[in-house]
Amino acid sequence: MKPPAPSSSRVSFLLKKARVSPILLTFLAFVAFVTILYSQDLRCLFGQFDYSDHPKHNKHQTISPTKKNGGKLPFAIGETEEGCDVFSGRWVLDEVNRPLYEESECPYIQPQLTCQEHGRPDKDYQYWRWQPHGCTLPSFNATLMLETLRGKRMMFVGDSLNRGQYVSMVCLLHRLIPEDAKSMTTNGSLTIFTAKEYNATIEFYWAPFLLESNSDDAIVHRISDRLVRKGSIIKHGKNWKGVDIMVFNTYLWWMTGRTFKILQGSFNDEVKDIAEVSTDDAYRMGMKTMLRWIKRNMDPKKTRVFFASMSPSHAKSIEWGGSPDGNCYNETKLIEDPNYWGSDTRKSIMQVIGEEFRKTRVPITFLNITQLSGYRKDAHTSIYKKQWSPLTPQQLANPVSYADCTHWCLPGLHDTWNELLFAKLFYP
Ligand SMILES: *[C@@H]1O[C@H](CO)[C@@H](O)[C@H](O)[C@H]1NC(C)=O
Ligand SMILES: *[C@@H]1O[C@H](CO)[C@@H](O)[C@H](O)[C@H]1NC(C)=O
Ligand SMILES: *[C@@H]1O[C@H](CO)[C@@H](O)[C@H](O)[C@H]1NC(C)=O
Ligand SMILES: *[C@@H]1O[C@H](CO)[C@@H](O)[C@H](O)[C@H]1NC(C)=O
Ligand SMILES: *[C@@H]1O[C@H](CO)[C@@H](O)[C@H](O)[C@H]1NC(C)=O
């Protein structure tokens, strides 16, 4: 059984409103809706994520907030080998143990991520395993994960990339739960997977900036002119209280150019007080606000907080030495250059994260997935996904034009992110 697609209910809501001149209004509503949903992909296509004149940073320090806490961390059952950075490694083909589940056996994958169902001809992207240089990752033990969640709440908060990781986690666990003892429901920004016999929930909360913004509607997000309200995390944060294991991400939505607009007052102010600051500073403000919320609301003796770094897009082949007009479309191989990094924006945001996390005393575990994902130009959904609107003949003639080089097929890369989460949760 497929979980209900939230989009369809919104469509019918829009249609119901379109009484006056039904055909025209319906059409307009649908076009607007599709445009909005598609904004991320369009942005990916237009390559707006790249601003190539940011300063280059080449720090290779790792953050180990886990050590700051002194004693044993909640949920820890062992330790990663001394000196092993699990995020530094290489991809190896593993046709024996991959994929960790089949696309067709996990009904929770949204149709934007089911690549095989949408005609992807190759399957290699499902068979790669991450091999750290300094140690071996523990195998993902679904029984252990689910037992650990007994009587607990795990929550992913962030954007569609974090939603992908959330769905992957549900797919990794759901097989252990009988059909009539699990459910997934969505109400507004919150999606909840419940494992009844375990009294456990795994939840996803849509907040692409973590802070209050004008893109907070889970279905209809404003596209252009994004606005984030300074320091405003309480409105969303009240829905996160009582969570035992938290996974945050935020990145892509901040990438609207060199600068970003921050609202100083309230969204209800008649005359809005808006400051335009550098994207780095805006993001830094977001980090500080998140860390302050964690400090005030999460008990480090009982809970764990993770933060996943930027998920890289592959919208420009030229970044990895490909043709000038290509992107992830038709890519089935990995990037082999171990030093590959991609856009410089990622570097400067990584620098901001590094600085803020090193300063804080809040125990937060960093999932540094950016570089390892950067090698995976093969793993995007590309054209193999449910399209929100019929494609035009021009688009069909040029698949590069509508390939989604931001999101990732499932099973696939997100499963590795969860293996890393698993490793850091139990073997910090
Ligand atoms: C997985 O975890 C369960 C519960 O802790 C344990 O009993 C089992 O032996 C583990 N399985 C493997 C393969 O390590
Ligand atoms: C179920 O889990 C919640 C936390 O998510 C907890 O507050 C509650 O006491 C648990 N109920 C039972 C019956 O264990
Ligand atoms: C959905 O959430 C709203 C507010 O968070 C709540 O008032 C409403 O009862 C919820 N609806 C359902 C069906 O749970
Ligand atoms: C896809 O890539 C293969 C080589 O990897 C190439 O032979 C083929 O022409 C490409 N197809 C398209 C439509 O670009
Ligand atoms: C994340 O990993 C990359 C590549 O190993 C490294 O350059 C970067 O500094 C790391 N980020 C942080 C904040 O530790």
Side-chain angles (χ1 to χ4, degrees):
M1 199 187 63
K2 292 267 173 194
S7 53
S8 54
S9 58
R10 193 69 188 204
V11 171
S12 56
F13 163 77
L14 289 169
L15 297 187
K16 261 180 237 153
K17 284 216 145 177
R19 286 257 166 75
V20 196
S21 163
I23 291 171
L24 178 64
L25 280 180
T26 305
F27 174 72
L28 287 178
F30 189 68
V31 166
F33 167 72
V34 158
T35 314
I36 287 158
L37 275 164
Y38 241 67
S39 59
Q40 284 307 305
D41 303 348
L42 293 172
R43 297 171 45 71
C44 160
L45 294 176
F46 297 139
Q48 288 181 18
F49 299 136
D50 300 283
Y51 311 100
S52 43
D53 57 353
H54 277 266
K56 287 194 196 293
H57 306 292
N58 244 329
K59 295 229 171 109
H60 278 267
Q61 300 150 283
T62 54
I63 304 166
S64 57
T66 50
K67 298 277 146 58
K68 286 186 191 166
N69 202 24
K72 182 175 161 292
L73 287 169
F75 306 108
I77 59 174
E79 277 180 24
T80 298
E81 276 170 59
E82 190 72 28
C84 175
D85 175 6
V86 293
F87 305 106
S88 167
R90 66 199 164 90
W91 288 100
V92 295
L93 204 54
D94 181 349
E95 284 169 288
V96 180
N97 300 306
R98 310 272 121 168
L100 295 175
Y101 53 88
E102 293 295 331
E103 181 186 293
S104 57
E105 80 178 83
C106 185
Y108 306 100
I109 311 175
Q110 58 273 50
Q112 285 73 40
L113 305 183
T114 49
C115 297
Q116 293 298 314
E117 188 189 338
H118 292 90
R120 181 160 178 165
D122 60 307
K123 259 191 158 177
D124 282 2
Y125 68 92
Q126 297 187 354
Y127 293 100
W128 294 98
R129 177 171 62 76
W130 181 247
Q131 176 63 58
H133 290 311
C135 54
T136 297
L137 284 180
S139 343
F140 188 92
N141 183 335
T143 311
L144 174 59
M145 188 72 222
L146 203 50
E147 284 300 336
T148 301
L149 290 176
R150 206 176 266 284
K152 299 214 155 42
R153 283 176 81 190
M154 178 177 201
M155 187 186 267
F156 293 77
V157 176
D159 61 23
S160 58
L161 280 321
N162 214 23
R163 191 201 306 257
Q165 185 174 357
Y166 161 72
V167 172
S168 155
M169 180 59 85
V170 171
C171 290
L172 287 163
L173 300 180
H174 88 104
R175 256 181 306 184
L176 297 177
I177 309 163
E179 209 52 56
D180 54 358
K182 58 190 170 192
S183 63
M184 191 188 266
T185 58
T186 295
N187 179 6
S189 297
L190 188 62
T191 298
I192 305 181
F193 175 82
T194 308
K196 292 187 193 70
E197 283 160 13
Y198 292 82
N199 183 32
T201 59
I202 307 173
E203 312 177 24
F204 172 74
Y205 186 94
W206 168 261
F209 295 100
L210 306 181
L211 278 58
E212 195 179 335
S213 78
N214 61 355
S215 309
D216 287 345
D217 189 298
I219 294 143
V220 182
H221 337 296
R222 286 265 297 278
I223 18 165
S224 58
D225 239 7
R226 294 177 192 168
L227 199 55
V228 169
R229 192 176 147 221
K230 188 173 180 195
S232 59
I233 202 164
I234 293 167
K235 182 184 152 202
H236 294 317
K238 66 177 192 292
N239 300 292
W240 313 337
K241 289 193 179 170
V243 167
D244 300 280
I245 301 173
M246 184 74 134
V247 185
F248 287 112
N249 95 325
T250 184
Y251 166 61
L252 208 52
W253 286 68
W254 298 91
M255 298 300 119
T256 57
R258 268 173 249 279
T259 60
F260 197 90
K261 289 195 185 114
I262 302 291
L263 176 68
Q264 313 281 339
S266 139
F267 276 105
N268 300 324
D269 292 347
E270 249 171 62
V271 181
K272 291 195 174 54
D273 179 5
I274 293 169
E276 196 156 342
V277 302
S278 76
T279 300
D280 282 7
D281 285 350
Y283 192 87
R284 188 185 300 281
M285 182 276 293
M287 288 297 99
K288 284 185 192 292
T289 310
M290 173 189 78
L291 291 168
R292 200 168 55 233
W293 185 90
I294 296 169
K295 189 169 166 203
R296 290 184 185 157
N297 294 281
M298 300 288 289
D299 177 355
K301 295 197 185 65
K302 292 198 193 115
T303 65
R304 288 287 298 276
V305 183
F306 295 85
F307 182 84
S309 60
M310 307 82 77
S311 173
S313 301
H314 291 88
K316 285 186 172 181
S317 306
I318 216 151
E319 286 179 351
W320 58 88
S323 73
D325 46 8
N327 58 19
C328 72
Y329 170 67
N330 198 27
E331 291 288 356
T332 55
K333 302 234 158 27
L334 280 61
I335 292 172
E336 279 173 17
D337 173 9
N339 297 315
Y340 175 78
W341 181 257
S343 106
D344 283 338
T345 321
R346 276 175 226 153
K347 273 191 188 151
S348 77
I349 292 289
M350 188 62 98
Q351 174 89 358
V352 171
I353 297 173
E355 285 165 9
E356 293 309 315
F357 282 23
R358 267 184 279 271
K359 264 191 266 173
T360 184
R361 302 174 73 89
V362 170
I364 183 164
T365 305
F366 188 50
L367 299 176
N368 193 351
I369 49 138
T370 305
Q371 181 135 30
L372 64 95
S373 306
Y375 303 134
R376 298 301 308 274
K377 65 179 161 63
D378 63 310
H380 290 285
T381 53
S382 184
I383 62 167
Y384 308 108
K385 60 183 281 187
K386 182 175 175 184
Q387 304 295 339
W388 288 104
S389 57
L391 295 161
T392 64
Q394 289 94 319
Q395 283 176 313
L396 286 167
N398 178 19
V400 167
S401 71
Y402 67 98
D404 176 347
C405 299
T406 295
H407 298 101
W408 311 95
C409 302
L410 278 181
L413 179 63
H414 289 304
D415 306 324
T416 296
W417 296 0
N418 279 320
E419 289 178 283
L420 291 160
L421 173 60
F422 178 92
K424 284 291 182 185
L425 179 64
F426 295 112
Y427 307 91

